[in-house]
Amino acid sequence: MHPARSVIAFTTLSGAGFGVLFWLGLGLPDVTGWVAFAFFAVAYALAAGGLLASTFHLGHPERAWKAFSQWRSSWLSREGVASVAALVVMGVYGAALVFLDTRIAPLGWLGAALALATVYTTSMIYAQMRTVPRWKTPLTPVLFIAVSLAGGALLAGQVTAAMALLAVAGLVQVLWWMRGDGALAASGTDMATATGLGGIGHVRAFAPPHTGSNYLLREFVFVVGRKHAAKLRMIALALGYALPLVLLALPFSHAAAALAAISHLVGIAVSRWLFFAEAEHVVGLYYGAR
Amino acid sequence: MTTLPTSTTRKLGLVIDLDTCVGCHACVVSCKGWNTENYGAPLSDQDPYGADPSGTFLNRVHSYEVQPLATSAMPHPAAQLVHFPKSCLHCEDAPCVTVCPTGASYKRVEDGIVLVNESDCIGCGLCAWACPYGAREMDAAEGVMKKCTLCVDRIYNDNLPEEDRVPACVRTCPAGARHFGDLGNPDSDVSKLVAERDGMDLMPEQGTKPVNQYLPPRPRDTLDEVDVLAPLLDPVAEEPKGFLGWLDRTLERL
């Protein structure tokens, strides 16, 4: 799959942003006034900034509002509904904290649940794709939620929770990669089933439909970065999980915490680049590629 | 609504004969010709006369080489070349429809055709991600998703002579490799053809239940005598004689 910058930015930033909103909704940290304003500003910048980035890859962003209508069948539509609901509820909750010094706890819990639901709907957009065997697993939502909670805890200053969740998320990431490497072979889809010609013999792509490239090849048959995949996985693990863990284990300082947060976001962005670049769409089989 | 209908009155679709297709790409050209100037946005090309041409097509023809396994009876089986046209299969369980966030993609109850309402399409591309067959392509100029309409603007078009009320690809195929009809009706010509020739689904394990069916290539004939005229074509003179014989010997010595 083509690793579009807008979608990598969206899943990385929004995942972290909704993670922060989750912790703020639970009252962790229990802040009010201008301190609360600072936390909410960071959370909204990440969550809403990511959502805005995701509209950049649309062919017609001006019609994006129509995407709220098909929540009965479409995970993308559900994500739109859940994200707006989470942002509105947490906006009211945050305004009460900042301007009235009042914590409306049930509203916070609702907002936390909606923030988590938003991350879940995002992950299901990918996890539902039978065409991309590497994504089609319950581990995908587990990974997205674990990363979001860990990143949220890190940015919300929940040191103990962040350390535990970073370890868990790192483990899930490794498991996700291990399962993913055999997913296409295990899916049962190959050139024989794609063409239905497997009964005759070994199928080889002889000539593509056109000598030039096309939308399908550009969008689904991205193979450029795969040769560096192993190195990039180590970079993602080191920056996204290991380095933040080490920095959190040191005596607390704001500089170390900020460095941990930046390192985590960069590491997650690298892992999301791999999430797309390594994903093999079955349409590639028609071109003898994967 | 992007929820799928539980059943459709008819299942209009194509039957593509891989045994007969000669890979001439006439269906590709006629499809592009008809659909670029009818239903919805045109099918644009980018850099068509330049170094890196590409464009939107609703129908593309692949070619595959299939190598049968060697057997004791046939130690060196010849590879078979199969031309393979591919367009939207108008699946009964179309994953491209349910993922659409805006309701632009839908499957018609009356005939099962999968269409895109382009004025609702936001160009998110998710339906193309969900399609295992590569049947949907985002038009780079219009930013909306294009796909085979089964020439919905031909098959019901009273302004056309009756013989033209079939998809453009079917009408143009010089080999008769493409057939159009109601695959939901077991008595239709296309259904009979599928039953007779063991028509197959592409990627059945993807669970899309495609309406379009592919007829597999028939086994190739095997002949004991490769060429009945071969014995008569043996060279008459084994060794050159006379002037040619002298020339041959002289040139050998040089």
Side-chain angles (χ1 to χ4, degrees):
Chain A
M1 302 288 294
H2 170 65
R5 258 172 275 167
S6 58
V7 180
I8 293 169
F10 159 62
T11 60
T12 306
L13 299 180
S14 282
F18 284 107
V20 180
L21 287 178
F22 170 82
W23 291 101
L24 289 173
L26 295 185
L28 300 166
D30 190 3
V31 284
T32 54
W34 290 108
V35 184
F37 181 82
F39 273 104
F40 274 90
V42 168
Y44 271 78
L46 291 170
L51 282 172
L52 203 64
S54 75
T55 62
F56 292 157
H57 84 286
L58 296 179
H60 282 275
E62 77 282 5
R63 299 178 190 153
W65 60 273
K66 293 188 177 187
F68 296 118
S69 64
Q70 302 301 311
W71 49 270
R72 288 179 194 81
S73 75
S74 166
W75 281 107
L76 180 53
S77 184
R78 285 171 199 162
E79 181 197 43
V81 172
S83 62
V84 169
L87 291 177
V88 167
V89 169
M90 287 304 289
V92 175
Y93 170 77
L97 277 180
V98 172
F99 301 111
L100 307 173
D101 280 347
T102 314
R103 196 168 104 81
I104 313 167
L107 200 62
W109 298 332
L110 175 66
L114 285 168
L116 211 55
T118 305
V119 178
Y120 178 69
T121 53
T122 303
S123 68
M124 283 308 291
I125 293 171
Y126 307 107
Q128 69 176 331
M129 290 287 163
R130 203 186 278 267
T131 49
V132 185
R134 193 182 280 274
W135 294 350
K136 178 97 174 88
T137 163
L139 271 179
T140 301
V142 173
L143 175 66
F144 273 59
I145 287 174
V147 169
S148 172
L149 289 180
L154 186 61
L155 290 163
Q158 304 302 303
V159 175
T160 321
M163 288 176 72
L165 284 164
L166 278 172
V168 171
L171 186 68
V172 175
Q173 175 69 82
V174 171
L175 287 176
W176 190 88
W177 278 329
M178 284 167 59
R179 181 213 160 266
D181 288 342
L184 180 64
S187 73
T189 300
D190 52 23
M191 282 187 76
T193 69
T195 60
L197 299 171
I200 303 174
H202 177 74
V203 184
R204 187 174 78 88
F206 184 78
H210 296 90
T211 50
S213 188
N214 63 41
Y215 167 75
L216 300 171
L217 289 169
R218 288 190 294 268
E219 184 77 3
F220 301 119
V221 196
F222 180 88
V223 292
V224 176
R226 289 191 194 150
K227 70 172 176 177
H228 295 306
K231 277 181 212 160
L232 286 168
R233 284 182 180 184
M234 293 315 294
I235 291 171
L237 274 183
L239 292 180
Y241 306 96
L243 184 61
L245 257 177
V246 171
L247 288 168
L248 287 182
L250 298 172
F252 180 81
S253 77
H254 276 101
L259 190 60
I262 290 167
S263 167
H264 172 75
L265 287 178
V266 171
I268 297 306
V270 172
S271 78
R272 290 290 151 83
W273 189 87
L274 283 169
F275 182 83
F276 292 98
E278 285 196 285
E280 307 99 335
H281 193 288
V282 294
V283 78
L285 295 168
Y286 284 107
Y287 292 84
R290 48 172 222 107
Chain B
M1 277 309 298
T2 52
T3 40
L4 288 163
T6 47
S7 68
T8 57
T9 317
R10 292 189 296 162
K11 295 177 190 171
L12 293 187
L14 301 174
V15 174
I16 294 168
D17 191 342
L18 298 179
D19 195 58
T20 320
C21 176
V22 296
C24 70
H25 291 239
C27 54
V28 178
V29 176
S30 65
C31 167
K32 180 120 176 174
W34 177 266
N35 286 294
T36 199
E37 55 189 27
N38 287 285
Y39 181 96
L43 303 173
S44 70
D45 291 314
Q46 281 67 44
D47 196 18
Y49 304 106
D52 185 23
S54 82
T56 310
F57 286 81
L58 311 183
N59 178 34
R60 293 180 187 265
V61 180
H62 296 252
S63 295
Y64 298 104
E65 185 191 69
V66 192
Q67 177 64 60
L69 283 175
T71 59
S72 50
M74 184 74 79
H76 301 292
Q80 207 170 321
L81 191 63
V82 180
H83 301 292
F84 195 97
K86 189 160 55 62
S87 53
C88 173
L89 288 88
H90 298 279
C91 303
E92 279 181 62
D93 215 340
C96 56
V97 171
T98 51
V99 298
C100 176
T102 67
S105 278
Y106 60 105
K107 184 170 175 69
R108 304 196 339 162
V109 180
E110 62 269 37
D111 51 20
I113 298 178
V114 177
L115 287 177
V116 176
N117 175 358
E118 289 174 9
S119 56
D120 277 352
C121 177
I122 57 174
C124 68
L126 205 58
C127 53
W129 290 21
C131 173
Y133 308 109
R136 289 173 169 248
E137 298 190 16
M138 180 101 74
D139 189 87
E142 291 288 334
V144 295
M145 197 54 73
K146 300 297 296 185
K147 69 176 294 300
C148 161
T149 66
L150 212 59
C151 283
V152 70
D153 45 4
R154 286 175 68 97
I155 59 177
Y156 299 114
N157 192 338
D158 292 336
N159 295 321
L160 296 177
E162 202 180 339
E163 64 270 25
D164 284 339
R165 287 180 217 154
V166 292
C169 56
V170 175
R171 185 76 180 93
T172 205
C173 179
R178 306 180 69 101
H179 307 270
F180 164 72
D182 180 9
L183 287 141
N185 173 8
D187 297 323
S188 68
D189 287 347
V190 281
S191 296
K192 285 180 195 160
L193 193 59
V194 168
E196 219 171 88
R197 296 276 309 280
D198 288 329
M200 60 187 179
D201 290 353
L202 301 186
M203 291 186 185
E205 73 285 352
Q206 287 274 334
T208 54
K209 290 194 260 170
V211 169
N212 283 14
Q213 296 287 301
Y214 282 75
L215 307 181
R218 295 183 180 94
R220 287 289 182 259
D221 290 340
T222 50
L223 297 174
D224 295 335
E225 191 79 56
V226 175
D227 188 345
V228 290
L229 293 176
L232 305 175
L233 292 175
D234 280 342
V236 178
E238 295 294 336
E239 286 291 321
K241 295 185 186 75
F243 172 70
L244 282 178
W246 171 80
L247 192 63
D248 182 44
R249 283 191 303 277
T250 310
L251 288 173
E252 281 294 333
R253 275 198 293 273
L254 285 178

